Amino acid sequence: MIAALTASSVAPAQVKPAAEPLIADGSNELPVASAIAPLPVEEAIDPLAPVADDQDEAPDVAAVEGESLAQSVARLRDTEAGSRELECLAGAIYFESKSESLTGQLAVGHVIANRAASGRFPSSYCGVVYQRSQFSFVRGHAMPYIPRASQDWRDAVAIARIVDQKLQPSPMGKALYFHARRVSPGWRMARIGTLGNHVFYR
């Protein structure tokens, strides 16, 4: 038979006559507690938070005087964009122009930034990219899979950072539209020029 132990069945501690008294006989002084150093308070650790790695810090996005576009891209390549907005911008650059030169990718990135700043389109990169019927690679308000270790993706992240921080001017000025050279949509708007496989308009 198993006996259940409850709080009401626990006997009080027994004091033995031989136990040393806490206060000596005839003394009016209470014992003084020894000073105990407080234990250090440790910050709570979120097990799902990414672990910081000093060797994998985000590159400094600040402008470097005299740096070429290729040098800026080499310095700012990364597998992580750093924010949802830069992720949207880098994704559009990747899907629309990964086969283009760095200058061509920069022009595409600036079109998205120009739209966000224009007041005629949504005011964020993600708003511009996911605006209905604007970019053919968007499927169901989502982007297709991106191989993040690829050189193309790392270049797109770098170009997105360059566009976002205005480190390099747009080779197509204030262009708001572009299409592939292989199509002729017959748009009635000011044509700015052709760069690589894209034609740009304002």
Side-chain angles (χ1 to χ4, degrees), residues 107-125:
V108 166
H110 271 293
V111 166
I112 293 156
N114 291 344
R115 284 187 176 195
S118 72
R120 297 164 57 187
F121 294 88
S123 59
S124 68
Y125 301 147

Side-chain angles (χ1 to χ4, degrees), residues 50-118:
V51 178
D53 184 354
D54 293 339
Q55 295 178 347
D56 195 26
E57 291 180 0
D60 183 8
V61 186
V64 175
E65 188 175 349
E67 188 173 62
S68 70
L69 176 58
Q71 290 169 327
S72 295
V73 169
R75 180 171 60 86
L76 298 174
R77 281 185 184 112
D78 204 339
T79 57
E80 296 299 324
S83 72
R84 183 174 184 272
E85 286 299 303
L86 286 178
E87 184 94 5
C88 289
L89 180 56
I93 293 166
Y94 175 84
F95 285 112
E96 290 291 337
S97 61
K98 64 178 178 278
S99 62
E100 297 289 303
S101 67
L102 294 178
T103 305
Q105 292 179 53
L106 182 67
V108 166
H110 271 293
V111 166
I112 293 156
N114 291 344
R115 284 187 176 195
S118 72

Side-chain angles (χ1 to χ4, degrees), residues 120-155:
R120 297 164 57 187
F121 294 88
S123 59
S124 68
Y125 301 147
C126 290
V128 168
V129 170
Y130 289 113
Q131 186 177 18
R132 189 172 180 178
S133 303
Q134 294 300 305
F135 293 95
S136 60
F137 66 86
V138 174
R139 296 282 188 271
H141 205 70
M143 290 189 193
Y145 168 77
I146 298 172
R148 293 177 182 270
S150 70
Q151 185 71 36
D152 288 338
W153 170 249
R154 292 165 60 87
D155 285 350

